[in-house]
Amino acid sequence: MLLRRTAPTVFRCTASSRTTVTATSTSSKALAIDWAAVARETVVHLQRMIRIDTVNPPGNELAVGQYLESVLEAERIETHLFEPAQGRAALISRIAGDGTRRPVIIMAHMDVVGVERANWTVDPFGGEMAGGYLYGRGAIDDKGMLAVNLETMLLLKRHVVDVGGTLTRDVIFVANSDEEAGGEFGMGWLVNNHRELIDAEFVLNEGGRTRVVRDKPLYVAVQNTEKVPHNVTVTAHGPGGHAAVPLADNAVFRLGRALSAIGNYQEPVLLTPSTREFFGQLAKVWPDVSERRAMNDVASRERRRVLRGVRVLAATPVFNAVLRTGISATVVSGGIRSNVIPTEATALLNIRTLPGQSIDAVVTRLRRVINDSRVDVTITQRGEDAPASDFASPMFAAIAETVKELAPDMVTVPYMSTGATDSARLRQLGMQAYGLLPFPMDQEDEDRMHGNDERIPLASLDFGTRLIFGAVHRAAR
Ligand SMILES: [Zn+2]
């Protein structure tokens, strides 16, 4: 496969390469940060971490943990490195604030998914740079965030603490393992073993998007809530017998009728405050005229307009998935051999409820839609709901203000992911978690996540560093 050496997307950034961030209220000294030097330093950290192979399984994140520990300790920042299992690691580092406000956590995972080496045009663990990009497995998921979070700690230490300034809250850096394979040795382990070290008001985690469309950076989508996954089994019953004597209430046919009814059914549209805000903000920058109008309609509170907007947006599967609870049929099974009519046939449905919606109520509606007493609908795996994080919180505002400062034409939107993330767990524990991917990228670059020739535009790495540092500093000054 040929490597496309397209020029990286250049976005307008109003902050000059040497910019001065306004002094904190607790410090009279201005922060004079040499952003060009910061960009070089961030690239080096990211390259070094990409060169440490942490494909999970087995993970071997300890080597990255030790690297992070050495960098943080050299800067005299408090760190704790744990080994949850052999070769795995959890690193927690903290810059103490004055305790006026509760801590903020910046979190990223050290493990990466595997590679199909034959499909890469560069060494996935080489940290090579070409055409304005840094290549390597983990460049955008999630070692880019690790590098940016690390740089944020270094900058806070050098430009706030070391010059006599104060933070109003602790800033806690968390690097964990095993995110790509269930989190048993990662988030799960941390929550079960060191809950006291990860107690915070706010958490910045992976899970958002910073999207470039037609070479123009449009928006930063900050994940503040997510759909809840459940598994439901549909079982049709009928009389068994020899296939030579057809039976009208054959369980396989019965299941087919039930699935056909479910396939023609859609859950009702439900607009949460987050969804309304999402479409309302997105409408300000969305390039397609008819979709932009539909977004404004959906965000309005006029019933007629909302319905009109929903009709347009629901035609696009990714928008439809945020407007309502989604039902996908995924596995069908039944029968043992070709000449036997089975007494049972089953289908699995993967159902993603909107936050706050009851899966029991969905199942009740499905039973009504199927309308057949010989078809059972049962919940086989129940997801756990978590409250949405507030998109009017000081942390969210700090992100949005930093985006405005860096790129005045971009908007910041709250975003509900249709997939499940670790952040749900943190929200259940009472923390306000926000998912970010602070690197402006077009769809093509974003699709390389978990794919071939994963890469990060260098300009985006720089933008991401300024965004995370800026937001954390704003929220903690
Ligand atoms: Zn990830």
Side-chain angles (χ1 to χ4, degrees):
M1 196 170 82
L2 239 164
L3 178 61
R4 283 182 44 184
R5 294 195 191 276
T6 48
T9 305
V10 177
F11 45 85
R12 204 153 58 79
C13 191
T14 54
S16 66
S17 66
R18 188 176 177 92
T19 192
T20 303
V21 178
T22 318
T24 70
S25 55
T26 50
S27 160
S28 58
K29 294 192 182 79
L31 309 186
I33 297 176
D34 179 350
W35 284 107
V38 169
R40 286 193 296 274
E41 187 179 48
T42 312
V43 165
V44 170
H45 288 310
L46 180 50
Q47 278 180 311
R48 288 183 183 156
M49 289 192 285
I50 285 172
R51 287 172 188 153
I52 302 170
D53 178 346
T54 53
V55 169
N56 183 14
N60 285 326
E61 299 93 340
L62 186 59
V64 170
Q66 285 163 338
Y67 175 74
L68 291 166
E69 182 187 42
S70 71
V71 174
L72 289 158
E73 282 189 342
E75 211 91 16
R76 301 182 320 281
I77 301 173
E78 174 196 325
T79 67
H80 304 267
L81 180 60
F82 301 99
E83 199 173 345
Q86 205 192 349
R88 317 307 295 263
L91 181 114
I92 300 175
S93 173
R94 176 186 306 254
I95 296 178
D98 66 10
T100 311
R101 288 182 275 183
R102 292 182 54 222
V104 56
I105 290 176
I106 47 180
M107 174 178 281
H109 61 88
M110 298 178 280
D111 58 319
V112 295
V113 293
V115 294
E116 296 174 293
R117 235 172 218 276
N119 295 331
W120 283 64
T121 59
V122 295
D123 176 359
F125 305 102
E128 291 173 38
M129 286 198 281
Y133 294 93
L134 171 53
Y135 285 82
R137 172 58 84 221
I140 47 177
D141 181 18
D142 192 24
K143 287 177 174 170
M145 274 299 274
L146 266 185
V148 159
N149 290 350
L150 173 66
E151 202 59 35
T152 294
M153 295 296 277
L154 302 181
L155 292 176
L156 289 171
K157 179 67 165 45
R158 293 170 193 161
H159 295 278
V160 180
V161 178
D162 287 352
V163 295
T166 318
L167 296 171
T168 55
R169 51 172 109 234
D170 291 5
V171 177
I172 304 170
F173 172 95
V174 174
N176 56 31
S177 297
D178 204 26
E179 191 278 336
E180 301 288 5
E184 187 190 347
F185 305 109
M187 265 297 293
W189 185 87
L190 266 180
V191 166
N192 293 333
N193 293 279
H194 290 284
R195 176 74 181 84
E196 76 289 353
L197 290 178
I198 52 164
D199 190 33
E201 180 174 15
F202 300 121
V203 182
L204 302 188
N205 193 9
E206 64 177 347
R209 292 286 178 271
T210 298
R211 182 50 66 76
V212 172
V213 179
R214 293 179 208 151
D215 291 335
K216 194 174 178 297
L218 289 189
Y219 60 89
V220 177
V222 178
Q223 188 243 39
N224 70 318
T225 183
E226 57 191 64
K227 286 180 111 174
V228 188
H230 314 269
N231 286 328
V232 166
T233 304
V234 180
T235 310
H237 304 275
H242 197 293
V245 183
L247 299 172
D249 45 1
N250 178 316
V252 178
F253 290 144
R254 194 176 286 279
L255 180 68
R257 287 191 293 274
L259 289 178
S260 167
I262 296 167
N264 288 319
Y265 169 73
Q266 288 213 314
E267 278 283 290
V269 167
L270 199 122
L271 291 171
T272 64
S274 287
T275 315
R276 238 187 228 109
E277 179 76 6
F278 170 70
F279 284 121
Q281 290 294 326
L282 211 52
K284 292 179 182 167
V285 295
W286 198 253
D288 182 278
V289 178
S290 104
E291 284 181 341
R292 182 163 67 228
R293 179 161 169 245
M295 287 171 181
N296 273 322
D297 284 340
V298 166
S300 79
R301 286 172 185 275
E302 299 165 44
R303 199 182 134 71
R304 209 172 41 84
R305 283 185 65 191
V306 170
L307 291 176
R308 187 174 67 193
V310 163
R311 263 198 307 277
V312 175
L313 295 180
T316 303
V318 287
F319 289 143
N320 193 38
V322 303
L323 290 167
R324 47 168 54 101
T325 286
I327 302 167
S328 292
T330 52
V331 179
V332 178
S333 55
I336 45 153
R337 50 188 295 152
S338 65
N339 61 356
V340 174
I341 299 171
T343 57
E344 215 176 86
T346 64
L348 300 189
L349 305 178
N350 185 256
I351 299 184
R352 308 268 169 150
T353 49
L354 291 170
Q357 294 302 292
S358 148
I359 181 65
D360 298 287
V362 176
V363 166
T364 302
R365 287 194 284 275
L366 284 179
R367 288 196 182 112
R368 215 164 31 231
V369 164
I370 296 167
N371 191 27
D372 186 336
S373 63
R374 303 213 66 194
V375 176
D376 297 330
V377 186
T378 50
I379 301 166
T380 38
Q381 198 183 346
R382 198 179 271 271
E384 271 184 76
D385 209 344
S389 299
D390 184 6
F391 59 83
S393 74
M395 189 70 243
F396 194 95
I399 296 166
E401 283 161 22
T402 309
V403 169
K404 265 281 160 276
E405 183 182 275
L406 293 172
D409 293 341
M410 292 178 82
V411 294
T412 304
V413 301
Y415 153 76
M416 176 182 69
S417 63
T418 49
T421 75
D422 266 352
S423 294
R425 185 128 195 208
L426 301 168
R427 293 185 187 114
Q428 283 160 4
L429 294 171
M431 295 179 241
Q432 304 245 23
Y434 300 98
L436 284 149
L437 182 67
F439 312 120
M441 277 184 290
D442 57 20
Q443 184 77 55
E444 202 262 331
D445 275 338
E446 206 177 280
D447 288 345
R448 293 167 184 245
M449 188 185 287
H450 289 213
N452 304 316
D453 283 341
E454 182 177 346
R455 65 184 188 181
I456 187 166
L458 294 173
S460 296
L461 185 63
D462 176 43
F463 181 93
T465 311
R466 296 180 196 224
L467 175 49
I468 298 299
F469 169 77
V472 171
H473 181 239
R474 255 194 175 82
R477 67 187 177 190

